Amino acid sequence: MKHIAIVTGASSGIGRHFVYRLAKDKTYSQLEEIWIIARRKDRLQQLKQKISQHSSVLIKVFALDLQDKESIIQFKKELEKSKVVVSYLINSAGYGKLGSFFSGDFEEQMGMIRLNVEALSALTHIVLPYCIGGSHILQISSSAAFVPQPHFSIYGATKSFVVSFSRALHQELRKKKIWVTAVCPGPVQTEFFQMALSNPSKKFDASKIGASASSIVKKALSDANKCKEFSIYSPLMQIFYVLSKLVPHRFLLSVFYYFNQRI
Ligand SMILES: NC(=O)c1ccc[n+]([C@@H]2O[C@H](COP(=O)([O-])OP(=O)(O)OC[C@H]3O[C@@H](n4cnc5c(N)ncnc54)[C@H](OP(=O)(O)O)[C@@H]3O)[C@@H](O)[C@H]2O)c1
């Protein structure tokens, strides 16, 4: 049985950094293959080429649109054909779109649910039979999960789903020693905001306040390997998490209503 990792959203940002870390860090030397998934095949091939210069791990490319149910079926068949143990499943594919729900584009709004919720749940379900004691599932949520997000409403709701689903699964699977970790970053310096900004002329510069993708990934893997239920990077986001449990949400909702409208 080959030990593999599966990383979605591997063509950029957080997902790509997970692939770098799994391929380069000796902690993960038991991995024989990393299966990488995203739509942009050229980006995935570039990543494969780059990794092959520094690592012996085999990269298998899957250019799939995870919003499409056929892609999930195709990936399920691929798993069935292969004799593998999945040591790490990292569900990083996702996007958010800021702006009013009322005037937002229908497809963009529904697409967030299909990708951030449906595809993440479907992949988790089809991969679980290949997990064993000691396997890890990292679900990339967001600090946007902590409080409902006016003007980022569907995105925040999808990420709350991911936290709720991950925590429940953590409990369900702990007897099997399959560990599920909800990763909840605040802003990160990736391509995420190119898609998220409702008005591209409004410049929200994530590089000013955002964490680096590599530091998010380092902490997420370290927390996952300690079998933690949550990975929240940075003291600021940890304080935000605590505040979201203490401060009445009606107050926080008005803060986010004001803030999200302006970025
Ligand atoms: N950046 C942040 O500030 C931030 C903060 C909190 C949480 N997050 C979460 O972190 C995760 C990764 O985001 P990121 O920051 O790394 O953003 P990113 O750089 O935009 O990466 C998003 C990834 O998702 C993939 N993807 C998008 N639609 C897809 C589809 N239909 N099928 C398959 N793959 C798809 C993209 O690849 P293709 O376009 O090639 O398909 C890309 O690899 C997301 O779940 C996001 O919600 C991000």
Side-chain angles (χ1 to χ4, degrees):
M1 288 279 192
K2 269 184 287 193
H3 282 251
I4 69 163
I6 298 170
V7 182
T8 74
S11 63
S12 75
I14 297 171
R16 184 166 56 186
H17 276 86
F18 269 113
V19 180
Y20 285 144
R21 185 122 209 134
L22 293 174
K24 287 180 183 170
D25 190 325
K26 287 195 175 64
T27 315
Y28 309 103
S29 57
Q30 88 281 11
L31 291 175
E32 288 160 76
E33 293 181 8
I34 305 177
W35 293 14
I36 60 175
I37 308 175
R39 288 166 303 179
R40 286 170 292 179
K41 194 173 183 181
D42 53 333
R43 290 275 200 104
L44 296 176
Q45 293 291 6
Q46 277 167 20
L47 179 60
K48 176 180 174 154
Q49 211 174 6
K50 202 164 172 189
I51 298 286
S52 69
Q53 290 162 9
H54 306 281
S55 167
S56 59
V57 72
L58 196 101
I59 303 286
K60 228 171 145 177
V61 167
F62 294 87
L64 297 173
D65 181 348
L66 292 174
Q67 283 195 46
D68 182 357
K69 283 206 174 81
E70 279 306 312
S71 299
I72 307 280
I73 293 167
Q74 192 185 323
F75 192 72
K76 186 172 189 267
K77 286 184 183 153
E78 202 62 46
L79 272 169
E80 284 163 358
K81 277 196 298 197
S82 318
K83 289 194 168 31
V84 295
V85 165
V86 178
S87 302
Y88 287 87
L89 166 65
I90 298 169
N91 275 310
S92 188
Y95 76 90
K97 188 75 189 169
L98 274 152
S100 129
F101 175 69
F102 177 70
S103 53
D105 180 84
F106 179 79
E107 267 310 306
E108 276 175 357
Q109 302 283 331
M110 298 305 111
M112 278 184 266
I113 301 175
R114 282 198 296 272
L115 183 63
N116 304 1
V117 172
E118 280 188 34
L120 178 141
S121 312
L123 269 172
T124 305
H125 196 264
I126 65 168
V127 168
L128 262 176
Y130 302 90
C131 292
I132 57 167
S135 294
H136 292 275
I137 299 175
L138 283 78
Q139 310 286 30
I140 313 306
S141 177
S142 165
S143 60
F146 301 161
V147 177
Q149 299 284 319
H151 291 284
F152 214 10
S153 56
I154 293 276
Y155 180 72
T158 65
K159 293 301 178 179
S160 293
F161 172 95
V162 175
V163 167
S164 172
F165 173 55
S166 304
R167 294 187 67 199
L169 217 52
H170 182 95
Q171 197 60 29
E172 273 187 44
L173 297 173
R174 61 181 305 142
K175 277 205 179 116
K176 294 186 194 294
K177 296 194 185 309
I178 297 170
W179 302 105
V180 184
T181 304
V183 181
C184 299
V188 189
Q189 299 161 23
T190 67
E191 293 167 22
F192 178 83
F193 286 98
Q194 289 171 18
M195 176 65 188
L197 289 179
S198 43
N199 179 353
S201 65
K202 289 185 184 179
K203 292 264 181 283
F204 174 71
D205 191 354
S207 62
K208 287 213 176 101
I209 60 158
S212 69
S214 61
S215 43
I216 297 291
V217 163
K218 188 173 174 201
K219 168 131 178 77
L221 281 169
S222 156
D223 287 339
N225 292 336
K226 288 175 196 146
C227 309
K228 289 190 179 173
E229 193 180 322
F230 266 117
S231 177
I232 305 175
Y233 178 79
S234 93
L236 192 63
M237 288 306 133
Q238 285 157 6
I239 291 168
F240 173 41
Y241 177 67
V242 174
L243 282 180
S244 75
K245 301 280 168 205
L246 300 176
V247 178
H249 276 198
R250 70 173 184 284
F251 170 71
L252 293 174
L253 276 158
S254 22
V255 173
F256 281 105
Y257 177 79
Y258 178 84
F259 182 72
N260 288 343
Q261 224 177 7
R262 273 154 185 79
I263 56 174

